[in-house]
Amino acid sequence: MKVFLVYLWRFWMVILGIVLTLIFFLPVYILSFRKEHYKYCYFFIRLWAMGMFYGMGFRYKMFIKTDKKIDKNQPYVIISNHTSIMDVMLPCILFPNHPLCYVGKKEIEKIPIFGTVYKRVCVMVDRKSARSRADVYRRCAERMQQGQSVVIFPEGGVPDDTNVILDQFKDGAFILATKHQFPIAVFTFRGLKEMFPFDNKKGYPGVVKVFFNDILTPDTTQKELKEKAFEEIQLSLIEELK
């Protein structure tokens, strides 16, 4: 019975995703053509993300672990751990005043309708192409100079091994921050790995714990930034497991 309910819940996600994508496709697509209109485009993107997250029955609870504040006029490189496709929705919910740009896989643009919008509002990377990977930093810097914040999951994807608490970080987010002097907003998402894994035999809606760990300034080396971010996210995850 439980397995049946899980499959039914996931079928609801597909229906919800299709309906919300059809509703918001036109305004997002039209407003994505001009960079000065992106803040209005983001309003509809955020509604889509909120509809998906809350419509699936999820909620979140925020835990602040730093005395630093988010400046609504400052673009950030936003990073977090990555355990579920629902991780993608949370930054949009958490950042109402920061139009977000995601770094995503080029393969997703093949999805009908959704892919058409995706390739306009995201910076896509072909991981098989060294040229594409190298060009990501330039394109992300351009977006941030236009006032957008960039979301990067430094693990590079959801770890295949479900026993991995936190996979090793790739360098991209930290190269972008140090090269162009953008601060890094560090978050930890806890609970989605158990609630909405890729294993179709599990899953349930619930409250996601969101930890706002820190804002790291790029006044140190790329290696030190990466180690500090990894340590802070790992600590939040380990503390929750105790």
Side-chain angles (χ1 to χ4, degrees), residues 66-129:
T66 177
D67 58 359
K68 299 173 184 175
K69 305 294 184 182
I70 296 290
D71 181 350
K72 67 179 182 179
N73 298 311
Q74 169 66 56
Y76 293 91
V77 177
I78 301 167
I79 68 169
S80 78
N81 57 316
H82 196 18
T83 59
S84 166
I85 57 174
M86 282 293 160
D87 292 332
V88 177
M89 318 301 170
L90 273 168
C92 285
I93 297 171
L94 298 173
F95 283 84
N97 301 311
H98 293 75
L100 301 184
C101 169
Y102 286 76
V103 175
K105 296 182 291 186
K106 185 176 177 62
E107 294 85 346
I108 297 178
E109 71 174 347
K110 298 177 182 178
I111 299 175
I113 302 177
F114 179 84
T116 303
V117 171
Y118 173 84
K119 66 183 179 181
R120 296 198 60 82
V121 302
C122 296
V123 171
M124 294 179 297
V125 56
D126 181 353
R127 294 178 181 174
K128 298 177 182 178
S129 168

Side-chain angles (χ1 to χ4, degrees), residues 69-200:
K69 305 294 184 182
I70 296 290
D71 181 350
K72 67 179 182 179
N73 298 311
Q74 169 66 56
Y76 293 91
V77 177
I78 301 167
I79 68 169
S80 78
N81 57 316
H82 196 18
T83 59
S84 166
I85 57 174
M86 282 293 160
D87 292 332
V88 177
M89 318 301 170
L90 273 168
C92 285
I93 297 171
L94 298 173
F95 283 84
N97 301 311
H98 293 75
L100 301 184
C101 169
Y102 286 76
V103 175
K105 296 182 291 186
K106 185 176 177 62
E107 294 85 346
I108 297 178
E109 71 174 347
K110 298 177 182 178
I111 299 175
I113 302 177
F114 179 84
T116 303
V117 171
Y118 173 84
K119 66 183 179 181
R120 296 198 60 82
V121 302
C122 296
V123 171
M124 294 179 297
V125 56
D126 181 353
R127 294 178 181 174
K128 298 177 182 178
S129 168
R131 182 176 180 179
S132 176
R133 294 196 303 270
D135 196 41
V136 163
Y137 308 119
R138 178 190 61 80
R139 288 181 287 156
C140 284
E142 287 178 353
R143 293 292 191 97
M144 295 188 77
Q145 287 161 3
Q146 294 167 10
Q148 299 175 32
S149 291
V150 171
V151 179
I152 302 177
F153 297 106
E155 291 172 276
V158 177
D160 294 329
D161 185 352
T162 56
N163 294 316
V164 173
I165 296 175
L166 185 64
D167 209 350
Q168 293 299 311
F169 284 180
K170 293 178 170 54
D171 293 330
F174 311 99
I175 292 175
L176 178 64
T178 53
K179 184 176 181 180
H180 299 283
Q181 294 298 291
F182 293 123
I184 301 176
V186 184
F187 287 81
T188 305
F189 302 151
R190 175 66 188 164
L192 280 169
K193 183 175 183 178
E194 294 77 22
M195 296 176 197
F196 203 80
F198 285 128
D199 181 350
N200 286 332

Side-chain angles (χ1 to χ4, degrees), residues 79 137 153-156 166-178 184 186 216-234:
I79 68 169
Y137 308 119
F153 297 106
E155 291 172 276
L166 185 64
D167 209 350
Q168 293 299 311
F169 284 180
K170 293 178 170 54
D171 293 330
F174 311 99
I175 292 175
L176 178 64
T178 53
I184 301 176
V186 184
L216 303 179
T217 54
D219 52 6
T220 183
T221 66
Q222 171 194 322
K223 180 181 178 182
E224 289 172 330
L225 271 179
K226 183 168 75 168
E227 289 175 349
K228 178 66 173 173
F230 185 91
E231 178 184 338
E232 293 193 358
I233 294 176
Q234 185 181 54

